[in-house]
Amino acid sequence: MKESEALAALAGMGIMVLVVVGALVLAVSIFYFLTLHQTMNAVGEERRPLAGGLIWLALIPGLGLVWYMIYILLLSSALRKELAQRQLPGDGSFGISLALVILQVLCFIPYINLLAAIPALALWLVHWVRMAGYRRLLQPAQTALAV
């Protein structure tokens, strides 16, 4: 095998790996955004700052990241109001959402991104679990009122 053929084969494998990793990241993002969508819809309409379906705008490259950061802060604020109104425990995880936004912004700064990436990933997982918990906490009360 010639050197150019070996290099072409290596480049092809690299592209395949990037496509597979990209597809996995997209699939995980879809499930995460679905959780955020359902959590926002679990908030009462009078305390919901925007429709839950608007999270899907975060899939737009570039602008989507900024929209996602705004969305999770608005969601946490709405959750705090909803939990207070229903007299349920919790603070809407506003502190976690704000810390996640700050860490994600730090991930765009060279050299600091090396320090911020792992905590951002860990906090993102914590945020996902918390939002799913708030959705489960709010939805049974919402369906009981509807019956």
Side-chain angles (χ1 to χ4, degrees):
M1 182 180 281
K2 295 181 183 177
E3 186 177 324
S4 62
E5 291 174 350
L7 190 58
L10 186 60
M13 288 190 307
I15 291 171
M16 287 187 340
V17 167
L18 284 176
V19 168
V20 168
V21 168
L24 287 173
V25 167
L26 180 62
V28 170
S29 296
I30 287 172
F31 284 113
Y32 175 61
F33 292 156
L34 184 61
T35 300
L36 296 180
H37 179 165
Q38 293 171 342
T39 304
M40 183 67 87
N41 285 342
V43 174
E45 287 188 37
E46 59 278 356
R47 284 169 295 286
R48 190 181 314 156
L50 42 93
L54 290 176
I55 185 58
W56 299 106
L57 293 174
L59 291 174
I60 298 171
L63 178 66
L65 182 63
V66 175
W67 174 247
Y68 159 74
M69 292 177 186
I70 293 168
Y71 187 93
I72 64 171
L73 292 175
L74 290 173
L75 174 59
S76 293
S77 178
L79 282 171
R80 183 176 19 190
K81 293 174 189 172
E82 182 73 13
L83 293 168
Q85 194 274 335
R86 293 189 191 188
Q87 298 176 346
L88 293 171
D91 64 347
S93 296
F94 189 81
I96 290 174
S97 297
L98 184 60
L100 179 58
V101 166
I102 291 169
L103 282 171
Q104 288 176 338
V105 168
L106 290 176
C107 284
F108 288 100
I109 301 173
Y111 302 113
I112 294 176
N113 59 359
L114 300 172
L115 298 173
I118 293 174
L121 180 63
L123 203 55
W124 174 73
L125 290 170
V126 169
H127 185 262
W128 191 351
V129 170
R130 290 277 178 97
M131 293 300 118
Y134 285 130
R135 178 182 48 84
R136 283 190 299 273
L137 182 66
L138 294 175
Q139 278 185 335
Q142 193 176 34
T143 56
L145 293 174
V147 173

